[in-house]
Amino acid sequence: MIIDKYIKPKTIEEAYSILTTKENSQIIGGGAFLRLSKKHISSTIDLSNLKLDFVTETNNYIEIGAMTTLRELEINEITNKYFNGIISTSIKNIVGVQLRNIATAGGSIAGKFGFSDLITALLVLDCKVVLYKTGVVNLADFINQKNNDIVEKIIITKNNLRADFQSVRNTKTDYAILNAAVSKHNKNFYKIAVGARPGIANYAKKAENFLKSVDFSVQNAEKAGLIASEEIKFVSNFRASAEYRQELCKTLVSRAICNVNVSSKKSNG
Ligand SMILES: Cc1cc2nc3c(=O)[nH]c(=O)nc-3n(C[C@H](O)[C@H](O)[C@H](O)COP(=O)(O)OP(=O)(O)OC[C@H]3O[C@@H](n4cnc5c(N)ncnc54)[C@H](O)[C@@H]3O)c2cc1C
């Protein structure tokens, strides 16, 4: 990566103005992923002066500033209090503490990486992305849009859903071969997301609909896992074949469904 100019704006307005007026300019979060690229960036816009490093809780929401590190998200009391700690579980295997001390929540969302563990986990929560110019966008829409905007923060509705995250890696700190997250709102209302396919996470809508019509049992969880594995598209790469990912999907999804039905390992606030 070659950077011509490194700018630390004092306001978000200034950051946005540089982003949209200077050709080949780019926001930098932790820079952990950006530095691996061969890009030539004219102006790199560092957001670290903009007070976007926070995790706060209001009556209805958890708010996570874009410059919050993954390590902070992993150990933060607020994020750990809700949703059976799914945020922490989803990121705790990303490389090591040193990298998680650098990589940011904003960069992890804005990067829209296919291998993302955090996006898969957040997709099963009621999660919105706040963009400086565009405003509030559902995470599920955001990951499928092109934006030239700044992620300011992530907002998660504080509801009492139970959630679980699963992943399989060749080694503990490698990218996931497949990841899956499941949440359960009330008796039969589930959200199921499967990611690192190796593409970005998709919802398993047919499996979610199947679960709406049945009571929980291990057999029905396995059936939902099978349905998810048939509706989600998998691709082969050097980490794993599409067929292997499809097999893993059955197990990860059914295991996560079982866990949200029996899990009491962490309270929901
Ligand atoms: C070696 C390595 C291994 C990894 N393994 C995993 C893994 O197993 N699982 C996983 O989920 N992740 C993994 N990651 C990704 C990591 O978790 C982060 O998601 C990634 O580093 C991006 O965060 P960052 O703060 O470094 O963003 P940067 O590298 O700074 O930026 C990434 C992209 O986001 C844009 N961006 C950054 N912040 C904003 C913002 N606020 N608004 C708009 N755009 C913005 C940048 O312009 C850039 O395009 C890995 C990363 C590395 C380097």
Side-chain angles (χ1 to χ4, degrees):
M1 177 178 65
I2 298 171
I3 297 175
D4 291 336
K5 214 168 167 192
Y6 195 90
I7 308 171
K8 272 185 158 183
K10 293 204 170 53
T11 63
I12 196 150
E13 291 84 351
E14 188 191 344
Y16 183 76
S17 160
I18 300 164
L19 179 68
T20 51
T21 54
K22 296 239 187 303
E23 218 182 317
N24 290 329
S25 57
Q26 193 149 6
I27 304 288
I28 188 164
F33 207 80
L34 207 52
R35 70 175 285 280
L36 300 179
S37 77
K38 294 199 166 79
K39 282 185 181 163
H40 187 146
I41 303 172
S42 65
S43 302
T44 300
I45 307 156
D46 180 339
L47 306 179
S48 53
N49 278 342
L50 305 185
K51 298 193 169 61
L52 293 176
D53 177 0
F54 60 82
V55 180
T56 54
E57 185 180 7
T58 63
N59 281 346
N60 299 319
Y61 302 104
I62 297 168
E63 301 199 349
I64 298 165
M67 290 300 282
T68 308
T69 66
L70 295 189
R71 177 63 176 167
E72 179 56 35
L73 280 190
E74 179 191 347
I75 58 176
N76 187 275
E77 244 180 60
I78 299 170
T79 51
N80 272 286
K81 201 160 54 158
Y82 296 94
F83 318 120
N84 309 91
I86 188 174
I87 292 177
S88 179
T89 308
S90 71
I91 56 184
K92 69 179 184 201
N93 285 323
I94 297 177
V95 188
V97 172
Q98 283 168 318
L99 185 115
R100 298 198 296 280
N101 268 330
I102 293 169
T104 62
S108 300
I109 300 301
K112 302 175 186 174
F113 305 112
F115 54 76
S116 178
D117 295 303
L118 183 61
I119 288 177
T120 303
L122 292 178
L123 276 174
V124 301
L125 308 180
D126 182 358
C127 179
K128 295 184 170 58
V129 181
V130 180
L131 297 163
Y132 170 67
K133 205 65 186 176
T134 316
V136 182
V137 183
N138 276 325
L139 175 65
D141 297 327
F142 173 74
I143 59 173
N144 292 309
Q145 288 170 356
K146 267 196 163 245
N147 324 76
N148 191 29
D149 207 335
I150 300 172
V151 174
E152 280 192 72
K153 60 183 173 181
I154 299 160
I155 300 180
I156 305 167
T157 306
K158 274 178 17 185
N159 43 25
N160 62 353
L161 55 78
R162 304 165 80 90
D164 191 66
F165 177 87
Q166 299 285 324
S167 70
V168 170
R169 299 166 135 80
N170 279 327
T171 61
K172 203 175 165 204
T173 56
D174 197 2
Y175 295 103
I177 294 172
L178 195 77
N179 59 37
V182 170
S183 67
K184 186 180 182 190
H185 265 273
N186 53 36
K187 198 165 169 274
N188 287 1
F189 188 77
Y190 293 81
K191 272 190 184 180
I192 303 172
V194 180
R197 314 168 284 112
I200 202 159
N202 281 168
Y203 287 120
K205 292 277 180 199
K206 288 182 183 165
E208 290 172 2
N209 283 336
F210 165 72
L211 290 170
K212 269 187 203 154
S213 61
V214 295
D215 286 331
F216 168 72
S217 67
V218 173
Q219 288 73 16
N220 283 336
E222 285 170 357
K223 179 115 192 264
L226 176 67
I227 295 168
S229 76
E230 286 168 350
E231 67 177 302
I232 299 270
K233 193 166 181 292
F234 304 97
V235 174
S236 301
N237 66 0
F238 66 95
R239 282 198 176 80
S241 66
E243 293 75 17
Y244 184 51
R245 288 188 158 100
Q246 187 171 27
E247 283 304 310
L248 288 178
C249 178
K250 294 177 195 169
T251 306
L252 297 194
V253 169
S254 64
R255 192 177 287 163
I257 294 168
C258 290
N259 285 348
V260 295
N261 280 284
V262 297
S263 167
S264 58
K265 57 183 177 178
K266 280 181 184 162
S267 77
N268 277 331

